[in-house]
Amino acid sequence: MGLEVLSLAFLAVYGIVLFYYHHYRENEWQKALWLVGLIVVGLEAGINTYNTSIGTVDRAEYLQQIKDYQRLYEYAGENTEGFFRMEKFDRKTKNDGTLAGYPTASLFSSTLNSSVADFYEKVGMGHSKVYYAFDGASPLISAMLNVNYMYGDTEKREQHEASEYYDKLYAPMAESGDITLYECKYTLPFGFVLPTDYELPDTKIMDSLEFQNEMVRRLGIEDNLFISADVVKDSEDLLLVADRDAYYYAIAGRGVTEVEMQGSFGTKTYKSLKNNSVMYVGHLKQGNTVYLKNADEDSDTAFLNLSIYRMDMGVLKEELYKMSRQHMENIQYDSTHIAGNITLKEEGKIFFSVPYEKGWSIYVNDKKTEPELYGECFMTLPLKAGKYEIYMEYQPTGRNEGIVITICGVILFLSLGVIQRRQKETEEILAEQDSHTDAEI
């Protein structure tokens, strides 16, 4: 409530200043009101800067580890065949990958592909109108997005390994400075093949992890990937007692924006949550307890609305095995091209973890082919059994038109320069002739 009251107070002051400025035309009054308005604007800007920038923005902190990320990215590329992405356990911004120059599944941009944000919302990941983020990705979604590596702080490595989250899902691979590169143990190859009728389920009646359960069932697996776990209500908080060794996840319900978890792993807090946001609780052994409480002091929600699930590793392995039985090989790629080949023993549709944009052109055996969309977002190619050479090329929409306009602009600029120069020369000649005429007279 504090921020809302402060905002209303500033609006009230602005309204009063504008009212008196409009009704009192005397010069001295207007000068005084102008000064008051300037002071109030400066005060609001100062408070906003203190609360949103001073404590979080430090250019040196953002840049000091970039070389470490780049070295580890190069190392990963040297030890990986094919297309891959990288992410971070603890991010500083939504654009860490863009800042350091490594391929990522997160992006902050006012011109982002909104279909990706919609897909991320369905599976419980970070999203808004101006960004989509890897936060909340389950091992299944991480594999589908071809996230093969994770960055982590070296100083937190002992804590990571003690939690068993990193021992079983990730393996330390290399270090540079204060950064450790982890290899994801459960991944999918780029261009894996799905059944031709495999589509995303309807999201209107299920939460984000039940949504992923339905994704699993549609691949012919009867068991659930995520199984509901019981929790005990403790006053306004929740108590989770693990009934078996497993990875546990939580889903934020409506009204939940900030959650604090306390357990054998220590204390961690999830902020800026939205309805259906997925949170990793931890790898718990049977009998381990975790207290979950609402960490938003301004929240009006009396009860912590969360759903808790545990993940079935056997189902995850079966799902990834089915998805990876057929896939593209000999992948070659750069920032605007992807190429590879595939031999399909049975019909299916190749899934590309590349969002569709109008600038993509896909050629199958040298024939241009229009892709279909999975989840109205990622490109797929339905193909019958056979051998295929696939080539993908991206050209930004309007690039050729932009080049033509630029060339025309340069020609016009140079032409105007030439015309102005000739006009100046003509004027100088006429002026010289006039001076000679005057001298003769």
Side-chain angles (χ1 to χ4, degrees):
M1 287 294 292
L3 291 176
E4 288 84 351
V5 172
L6 187 60
S7 297
L8 290 174
F10 276 115
L11 286 174
V13 172
Y14 291 140
I16 293 170
V17 170
L18 289 173
F19 175 81
Y20 282 103
Y21 186 87
H22 179 73
H23 286 81
Y24 288 86
R25 298 296 183 180
E26 292 83 354
N27 191 41
E28 294 301 323
W29 266 101
Q30 289 193 342
K31 286 182 179 180
L33 290 169
W34 182 87
L35 181 60
V36 170
L38 182 63
I39 292 172
V40 175
V41 169
L43 182 62
E44 183 182 14
I47 293 173
N48 181 68
T49 301
Y50 177 80
N51 283 282
T52 63
S53 299
I54 293 177
T56 57
V57 178
D58 185 335
R59 179 176 173 79
E61 184 178 350
Y62 282 143
L63 301 179
Q64 65 183 357
Q65 296 173 328
I66 284 185
K67 290 185 177 179
D68 295 322
Y69 293 129
Q70 293 172 341
R71 291 191 193 101
L72 292 173
Y73 169 44
E74 291 176 1
Y75 178 82
E78 292 169 356
N79 289 273
T80 307
E81 293 184 3
F83 181 92
F84 68 92
R85 291 190 176 96
M86 312 176 79
E87 274 294 341
K88 296 173 67 175
F89 291 120
D90 302 301
R91 70 176 68 254
K92 286 186 175 67
T93 75
K94 301 293 191 300
N95 259 349
D96 285 353
T98 304
L99 179 65
Y102 59 83
T104 177
S106 304
L107 178 67
F108 185 100
S109 171
S110 58
T111 60
L112 61 77
N113 188 328
S114 61
S115 297
V116 181
D118 293 340
F119 174 81
Y120 277 31
E121 180 180 6
K122 293 173 184 177
V123 295
M125 296 168 63
H127 66 279
S128 81
K129 292 181 179 180
V130 294
Y131 75 81
Y132 52 83
F134 188 72
D135 307 333
S138 70
L140 171 61
I141 303 302
S142 174
M144 292 182 68
L145 294 175
N146 295 122
V147 176
N148 291 8
Y149 299 98
M150 299 291 292
Y151 291 117
D153 293 336
T154 301
E155 64 180 12
K156 295 182 179 180
R157 182 168 170 178
E158 292 184 2
Q159 174 187 342
H160 293 169
E161 292 175 348
S163 73
E164 294 190 39
Y165 183 60
Y166 301 86
D167 278 346
K168 294 189 177 181
L169 294 180
Y170 308 98
M173 187 176 180
E175 292 183 10
S176 179
D178 296 329
I179 305 300
T180 297
L181 178 68
Y182 292 84
E183 182 180 18
C184 302
K185 293 185 178 180
Y186 297 94
T187 61
L188 285 168
F190 180 78
F192 60 86
V193 180
L194 297 170
T196 52
D197 60 349
Y198 187 81
E199 299 293 342
L200 282 181
D202 186 356
T203 61
K204 295 180 180 179
I205 57 173
M206 60 186 75
D207 64 37
S208 46
L209 293 184
E210 286 293 347
F211 179 85
Q212 294 182 48
N213 282 338
E214 183 61 24
M215 289 173 64
V216 170
R217 284 192 287 270
R218 293 190 176 199
L219 205 61
I221 300 174
E222 296 182 358
D223 296 329
N224 286 331
L225 175 61
F226 295 100
I227 302 157
S228 180
D230 295 330
V231 292
V232 178
K233 183 179 179 182
D234 183 14
S235 183
E236 295 181 357
D237 303 332
L238 297 177
L239 172 63
L240 166 64
V241 181
D243 61 355
R244 67 191 67 190
D245 295 4
Y247 295 96
Y248 287 81
Y249 294 82
I251 299 178
R254 295 190 182 279
V256 177
T257 59
E258 195 168 328
V259 174
E260 181 181 288
M261 302 181 185
Q262 296 179 347
S264 57
F265 47 75
T267 301
K268 56 185 175 183
T269 303
Y270 288 93
K271 300 180 179 180
S272 302
L273 298 171
K274 298 182 180 181
N275 182 42
N276 261 342
S277 291
V278 174
M279 297 163 280
Y280 173 67
V281 177
H283 182 276
L284 306 179
K285 295 185 179 297
Q286 184 175 4
N288 284 168
T289 60
V290 177
Y291 284 91
L292 305 100
K293 67 177 184 179
N294 192 341
D296 184 359
E297 297 178 355
D298 298 326
S299 175
D300 296 328
T301 304
F303 174 67
L304 185 58
N305 184 16
L306 295 179
S307 300
I308 308 296
Y309 291 83
R310 60 177 173 81
M311 184 175 67
D312 188 321
M313 288 296 296
V315 173
L316 175 66
K317 294 175 182 178
E318 184 179 359
E319 172 83 352
L320 298 183
Y321 170 75
K322 283 196 169 188
M323 286 181 164
S324 62
R325 284 183 300 178
Q326 298 188 100
H327 58 84
M328 285 178 61
E329 297 178 335
N330 303 315
I331 306 294
Q332 301 292 327
Y333 71 97
D334 57 32
S335 59
T336 57
H337 303 84
I338 303 176
N341 55 62
I342 188 170
T343 300
L344 290 176
K345 297 181 180 179
E346 56 188 39
E347 68 174 353
K349 61 181 177 183
I350 306 174
F351 174 92
F352 303 107
S353 61
V354 178
Y356 173 74
E357 298 281 356
K358 290 183 179 179
W360 278 107
S361 297
I362 301 180
Y363 299 87
V364 179
N365 291 343
D366 296 326
K367 181 180 179 181
K368 190 171 183 179
T369 305
E370 287 299 319
E372 294 184 356
L373 297 184
Y374 176 78
E376 301 180 358
C377 173
F378 298 106
M379 293 185 287
T380 64
L381 281 178
L383 297 172
K384 297 185 180 298
K387 294 183 178 182
Y388 300 95
E389 294 287 338
I390 297 172
Y391 178 76
M392 306 169 65
E393 179 181 25
Y394 180 72
Q395 178 176 296
T397 303
R399 187 192 70 170
N400 292 337
E401 293 85 348
I403 292 173
V404 171
I405 292 172
T406 300
I407 293 173
C408 291
V410 171
I411 293 173
L412 179 61
F413 176 77
L414 294 175
S415 299
L416 289 173
V418 171
I419 292 172
Q420 288 178 349
R421 183 175 178 180
R422 288 182 177 178
Q423 286 179 341
K424 185 177 180 180
E425 291 175 349
T426 302
E427 291 172 357
E428 289 176 351
I429 292 172
L430 292 175
E432 187 176 350
Q433 290 175 351
D434 290 342
S435 63
H436 286 311
T437 302
D438 293 340
E440 290 175 358
I441 295 173

